[in-house]
Amino acid sequence: MANLNTKYVTEEQYLYAQILEKGMYAGLVILLLTFVIYATGLIEPYIPLNKIADYWEMSSTKYLHDAGIPDGWGWVAYLNYSDFLNFIGIALLAAVTLISYAAIIPTLIKNNDKVYAILAALEVFILAAAASGLIRVGH
C-alpha cells in the first residue's frame, strides 16, 4: 500500500477512501459526458427541449404521470434517450458509498474487527435495500 501511514490511517480507511475517490471521479466524468450528449443533441431526448418549460413547475409525481415515466428504477428502460443518460452518473455516485463499505468488509474480518464488519455489512444491506425499493419512506 503506497503512502499508508498506519499511525493515522487504517487499511480499511485507506481502501474506502480510494474507492470513494475513484467512484466520485468516474461519476463526475459520466455526468459530464452524458450532459455533452444531451446538450449537443447526439441522442434525442425523451422530453423535447421546446417542451421542458411545461414541466418545470410540476411536482415530481405530476411530472412523471404527465410525461408517462415510471417511478423508481423505471428510468433504466429510457436510457436510449439523452435526458435519461445522466441518471447513470447519478446512480454511480449514489452507489459509491455502498461499494466502498462492501469492499472493506473482508479487511475488517481479516483484522478481526467483528463489530465494524457487522456494521459495514448492515450498512451495505440497508443501502442496497433502499436503492432496490424494498425500503420506502414517505410517498
Side-chain angles (χ1 to χ4, degrees):
M1 263 187 227
N3 301 327
L4 176 60
N5 185 339
T6 56
K7 182 177 178 183
Y8 301 106
V9 178
T10 64
E11 184 180 359
E12 62 272 6
Q13 288 173 329
Y14 187 73
L15 177 60
Y16 184 94
Q18 281 185 312
I19 294 169
L20 198 63
E21 179 184 39
K22 289 175 183 158
M24 180 266 309
Y25 283 126
L28 290 176
V29 166
I30 291 169
L31 284 173
L32 178 65
L33 291 174
T34 55
F35 176 74
V36 167
I37 290 169
Y38 173 71
T40 59
L42 273 142
I43 298 175
E44 183 179 332
Y46 181 76
I47 304 290
L49 293 176
N50 63 344
K51 298 285 186 192
I52 283 190
D54 298 343
Y55 295 96
W56 281 348
E57 294 183 9
M58 291 182 183
S59 68
S60 60
T61 305
K62 183 163 175 43
Y63 161 71
L64 292 175
H65 177 267
D66 288 5
I69 301 169
D71 65 352
W73 284 92
W75 61 269
V76 174
Y78 291 78
L79 289 176
N80 55 319
Y81 296 104
S82 62
D83 44 351
F84 283 88
L85 286 177
N86 66 325
F87 284 40
I88 297 169
I90 294 167
L92 175 60
L93 288 171
V96 169
T97 298
L98 185 148
I99 295 165
S100 299
Y101 272 116
I104 66 169
I105 293 171
T107 304
L108 292 167
I109 292 169
K110 180 186 80 173
N111 293 338
N112 205 27
D113 288 332
K114 294 175 187 167
V115 172
Y116 286 123
I118 290 168
L119 290 172
L122 285 171
E123 186 74 28
V124 168
F125 174 76
I126 290 167
L127 290 172
S132 71
L134 290 175
I135 298 174
R136 290 182 183 239
V137 178
H139 310 281

